[in-house]
Amino acid sequence: MFIDFVLVISSILIVVSDLKHRRISNTMVAISAIACISLALTNESLGFHSLQSLFVLFIGLFLFKLGVIAAGDTKLLSVYALIIDPIYFPASLVLIGITGGVVTFPILLRKLISKKSNEHDRGIPYGIPIVISGMFGIYLSKLS
């Protein structure tokens, strides 16, 4: 229960940081990683999916190099991928896309309406959809 609490709190702090500063703290990602590994070791319904996580990390770093995704987003998704069951991982990715569109729409709308550049319009806080979808995938994985 304590590990679940740590994961939820670190995820909330990641959302707040990404929303306010458009940055995901490496410290919060590391805390989330420790929580995910601990959950995999203490909860028999959660497996430890290191290959899935490494695949996400390598693809994400390639996309980062192309300028498509931020490194913090990649690290965060690879941490959640450690314990999301492979059955639910594709659904988590689809949910990231859907919630990403929901998060992006108001930002684009504000950019279209406002003529002046705003520091807050710098990038899309994709940590929000990753946290929502990752936590959903972890929850489903714990249920199975």
Side-chain angles (χ1 to χ4, degrees), residues 33-131:
I34 292 167
C36 286
I37 292 168
S38 298
L39 280 171
L41 296 174
T42 59
N43 190 328
E44 68 250 6
S45 66
L46 292 176
F48 188 66
H49 308 290
S50 57
L51 290 178
Q52 177 174 273
S53 179
L54 285 173
F55 181 74
V56 168
L57 186 61
F58 286 130
I59 296 297
L61 289 176
F62 176 74
L63 292 174
F64 168 70
K65 196 74 166 158
L66 294 176
V68 175
I69 191 169
D73 298 334
T74 296
K75 291 180 279 188
L76 181 61
L77 182 57
S78 68
V79 163
Y80 289 149
L82 281 171
I83 59 173
I84 296 175
D85 193 294
I87 294 171
Y88 302 116
F89 195 70
S92 296
L93 293 177
V94 169
L95 188 58
I96 288 172
I98 293 168
T99 55
V102 171
V103 167
T104 302
F105 182 73
I107 294 170
L108 288 175
L109 192 61
R110 185 172 55 191
K111 277 186 176 184
L112 290 172
I113 292 172
S114 176
K115 299 293 184 212
K116 59 183 176 179
S117 180
N118 186 347
E119 177 200 317
H120 216 68
D121 290 339
R122 190 179 98 259
I124 306 296
Y126 241 84
I128 298 168
I130 292 170
V131 166

